[in-house]
């Protein structure tokens, strides 16, 4: 990999892609650049192509999706692998293992279908070249605390104050616009880069930035003191 190119696919300010590119370039010792302007991959921009990536039924693999009525709700889910086709078009012919790694940062909710439990899961990182990072999936993918879910369910069932429960747990998980999002996305970006470099994105060490944390508690534990484990620090040092 000679270069990392980070593309801004966000509707709002969100993650600073130039800063993310500089972080990756500095950490991995490769050239870096960024591509601003995510309008092309927003609904209403290149809407039709994007629309074709939308998941209608989270219990069926994408090839079995029938389209039709909108799923509804504030958060539409998009298929990560289908989005990669759009990303490939945006990346151009330079995307190859020996050329540039392209990383798209989106605020769409991105998921992939898991054959194991026959349903979609939100994925903060879909590692490939290009790779896709999703801030919305960083918010909604890793599980929140058992106590949070129980209290929310109780408030909803009993007509309680859901907003008060949300406020009480505010610091426990990533939220939209969270100041900790930058560090979280840096970790996911490193996972994408490691996958491109070595074919293995994740680390078993729960305190390594390459750890695939399934719970918000784990994500935020790494974000609080972001570092690579010794073997990965050495591996990355050896690459540069
Ligand atoms: Zn590690």
């Amino acid at each position: 990999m000679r270069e990392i190119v980070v593309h801004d696919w966000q509707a709002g300010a969100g993650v600073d892609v130039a800063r993310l590119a500089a972080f990756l370039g500095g950490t991995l010792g490769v050239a870096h650049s960024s591509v601003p302007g995510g309008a092309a991959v927003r609904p209403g921009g290149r809407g039709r192509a994007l629309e074709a990536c939308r998941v209608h039924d989270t219990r069926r693999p994408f090839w079995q999706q029938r389209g039709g009525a909108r799923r509804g709700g504030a958060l539409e889910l998009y298929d990560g692998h289908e989005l990669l086709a759009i990303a490939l078009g945006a990346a151009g012919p330079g995307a190859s293992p020996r050329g540039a790694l392209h990383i798209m940062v989106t605020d769409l909710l991105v998921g992939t279908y898991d054959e194991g439990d026959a349903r979609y899961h939100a994925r903060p990182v879909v590692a490939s070249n290009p790779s896709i990072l999703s801030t919305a999936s960083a918010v909604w993918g890793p599980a929140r605390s058992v106590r949070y879910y129980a209290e929310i369910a109780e408030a909803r069932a009993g007509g309680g104050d859901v907003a008060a429960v949300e406020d009480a747990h505010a610091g426990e998980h990533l939220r939209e616009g969270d100041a900790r999002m930058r560090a979280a996305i840096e970790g996911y970006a490193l996972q994408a880069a490691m996958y491109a470099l070595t074919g293995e994105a994740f680390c078993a060490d729960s305190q390594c930035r390459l750890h695939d944390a399934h719970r918000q508690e784990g994500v935020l534990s790494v974000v609080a003191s972001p570092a690579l484990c010794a073997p990965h620090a050495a591996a990355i040092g050896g690459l540069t």
Side-chain angles (χ1 to χ4, degrees):
M1 182 200 306
R2 290 196 303 267
E3 185 186 3
I4 287 189
V5 185
V6 183
H7 300 245
D8 189 357
W9 276 15
Q10 304 164 101
V15 170
D16 181 337
V17 294
R19 186 171 177 177
L20 178 60
F23 163 77
L24 290 168
T27 304
L28 299 166
V30 296
H32 61 86
S33 60
S34 57
V35 182
V41 285
R42 298 299 309 174
R46 194 182 297 172
R48 223 178 307 166
L50 193 64
E51 189 67 10
C53 302
R54 198 157 52 78
V55 173
H56 294 266
D57 182 347
T58 56
R59 298 274 172 185
R60 289 173 188 271
F62 198 80
W63 61 273
Q64 286 183 0
Q65 304 278 326
R66 295 208 180 92
R70 294 177 73 81
R71 202 164 54 84
L75 282 168
E76 297 280 355
L77 181 67
Y78 291 82
D79 184 277
H81 295 122
E82 296 297 313
L83 285 175
L84 287 178
I86 299 178
L88 206 53
S96 74
R98 291 184 185 170
L101 169 64
H102 290 260
I103 294 177
M104 281 60 185
V105 182
T106 180
D107 45 13
L108 296 173
L109 187 66
V110 175
T112 58
Y113 186 79
D114 186 336
E115 298 283 352
D117 59 0
R119 60 179 284 248
Y120 270 85
H121 292 269
R123 304 288 185 203
V125 54
V126 180
S128 184
N129 190 11
S131 288
I132 293 176
L133 307 182
S134 163
T135 55
S137 298
V139 169
W140 296 105
R144 299 178 179 187
S145 70
V146 172
R147 198 170 150 206
Y148 165 83
Y149 290 123
E151 288 180 15
I152 285 284
E154 192 181 327
R156 285 196 179 131
D161 191 343
V162 172
V165 176
E166 291 283 3
D167 286 346
H169 291 271
E172 297 172 11
H173 44 253
L174 289 171
R175 306 211 288 184
E176 280 95 351
D178 201 304
R180 298 167 294 184
M181 184 62 78
R182 179 178 61 79
I185 287 292
E186 283 177 359
Y188 290 124
L190 281 176
Q191 292 172 8
M194 281 307 283
Y195 183 77
L197 288 164
T198 67
E200 181 55 63
F202 304 125
C203 177
D205 184 337
S206 66
Q207 286 308 301
C208 177
R209 296 199 94 176
L210 303 178
H211 184 65
D212 182 22
H214 292 177
R215 306 197 69 86
Q216 289 281 342
E217 190 183 9
V219 174
L220 293 177
S221 167
V222 175
V223 161
S225 59
L228 291 159
C229 68
H232 274 119
I236 284 179
L239 293 167
T240 59

